[in-house]
Amino acid sequence: MKANSTSAYPSAPAGPGLNAAVERYYDTTLDLYEDLWGEHVHHGFWDAGERPGSDEDRHVATDRLVRELVTFAGIPHGGHVLDVGCGIGGPALYLAGPVGCSVEGVTLSAAQAARANEKAAAAGLAGRARFHQRDFFDNGYPDASFDALWAVESLMHIADRVAFFAEAMRLLRPGGVLAIATWSVRDGELTAEEHRVVDQILRHQVMPSFSSLEEHERLAAAAGFAAVASADWSANVANSWEPTFAQVRELDNGRSMMRDLARDRGVDVLGFFYAGPLMLKGFETGAMTYGAVRATKPALEATFEATGD
């Protein structure tokens, strides 16, 4: 398997089937993620070599990942931001609060959108952060609507990444910034064992494929973005999957609880429990990576110069 491949694994749902599977997964796991991980349902960020400590450290680390991406991408203070795959709104509320942005969040999960709006109201930010159950490719926003497009750990659920970058280009104003934090894979060939681990992660996490960070850069440039760059954060985030810190119960000790969940919510919920060991192995072998990608929609002046108009 080419690490920069965007082809789906054999059993991946496609089209509307993929969207329905992603929606179902997050509807059924919303309370599990929030109870265990809190405001931010994504990786934490530590200095390389730093070990996570208390439960509170998870919240510090996940907050830090959001701040790191804001800085890396250059999110403009007070800008109008589209959060693609907004989850329960943790990063969006940071953008709407300390960064002073107005944020529109879209997610396939009705449960996530409802919870995010509850959290915005509780934080006094409902006027600056609004969340919708909406397909990113049928979003209803006019051209050049946003100063920034933000996607934290959501691009892995989108099969057509060429279309993602094209739609991002359409939605951004000239000079607008694209900010991505994503699970990814090593660029180049994977071994058979690495391929097996990656396929299991894809299956359990309802993701059609992974791209390498380098492939994300290539896709952004091909879509017309300028100042494209990436940063490999693998060493900074891998601690997120340490068994005790990830707070996902050992399978041998929780089988009764897992059976009850599967009976009540469907077998898809079990992917939540399999993610930790698989991701940890992926990071240990180097097959799985993680990083940030930033890019800028060229300003009108640069476009005119390039076309000679």
Side-chain angles (χ1 to χ4, degrees), residues 112-125:
Q112 284 188 333
R115 182 67 183 121
N117 280 314
E118 289 175 0
K119 291 165 69 66
L125 293 170

Side-chain angles (χ1 to χ4, degrees), residues 8 12 23-24 34 52 56 99 102 104 120 130 162 173 201 210 239 276 279 286 292 296:
E23 177 185 1
R24 183 170 60 250
E34 187 170 11
E56 180 61 26
V99 189
S102 61
E104 297 284 326
R130 301 186 302 169
V162 172
R173 295 167 181 156
I201 292 169
F210 291 124
N239 286 334
M279 286 295 291
T296 303

Side-chain angles (χ1 to χ4, degrees), residues 250-262:
E250 293 285 343
L251 299 184
D252 289 341
N253 298 328
R255 292 192 182 278
S256 175
M257 177 267 293
M258 289 168 54
R259 282 196 299 269
D260 290 343
L261 282 171

Side-chain angles (χ1 to χ4, degrees), residues 58 159 198 216 250:
R58 165 170 290 284
V198 168
H216 284 92
E250 293 285 343

Side-chain angles (χ1 to χ4, degrees), residues 22-187:
V22 172
E23 177 185 1
R24 183 170 60 250
Y25 176 76
Y26 283 108
D27 280 350
T28 58
T29 58
L30 182 148
D31 60 327
L32 296 173
Y33 276 115
E34 187 170 11
D35 287 349
L36 293 173
W37 288 5
E39 292 284 312
H40 296 295
V41 184
H42 57 69
H43 286 69
F45 188 105
W46 295 265
D47 291 329
E50 185 180 3
R51 307 293 295 180
S54 64
D55 290 348
E56 180 61 26
D57 190 36
R58 165 170 290 284
H59 306 299
V60 173
T62 52
D63 285 348
R64 182 177 172 186
L65 187 138
V66 173
R67 296 196 308 272
E68 293 284 344
L69 185 59
V70 167
T71 301
F72 178 73
I75 300 298
H77 186 90
H80 191 202
V81 181
L82 178 62
D83 184 350
V84 180
C86 60
I88 59 173
L93 295 184
Y94 177 81
L95 294 174
V99 189
C101 297
S102 61
V103 185
E104 297 284 326
V106 296
T107 172
L108 294 171
S109 167
Q112 284 188 333
R115 182 67 183 121
N117 280 314
E118 289 175 0
K119 291 165 69 66
L125 293 170
R128 293 214 301 268
R130 301 186 302 169
F131 304 94
H132 317 274
Q133 183 194 24
R134 193 172 295 174
D135 185 345
F136 173 63
F137 293 111
D138 187 22
N139 56 67
Y141 296 115
D143 294 357
S145 291
F146 297 96
D147 300 301
L149 191 144
W150 173 276
V152 172
E153 300 189 18
S154 57
L155 189 48
M156 312 90 62
H157 291 298
I158 296 176
D160 191 345
R161 295 188 188 126
V162 172
F164 168 84
F165 284 100
E167 182 64 0
M169 177 67 78
R170 182 187 75 81
L171 290 168
L172 284 169
R173 295 167 181 156
V177 297
L178 176 62
I180 296 168
T182 188
W183 306 17
S184 49
V185 286
R186 186 180 65 244
D187 204 38

Side-chain angles (χ1 to χ4, degrees), residues 20-22 24-25 28-29 203-206 262 265-273:
V22 172
R24 183 170 60 250
Y25 176 76
T28 58
T29 58
R203 182 170 64 253
H204 288 303
Q205 296 299 295
V206 199
R265 309 188 191 193
V267 296
D268 290 344
V269 73
L270 298 182
F272 173 86
F273 298 95

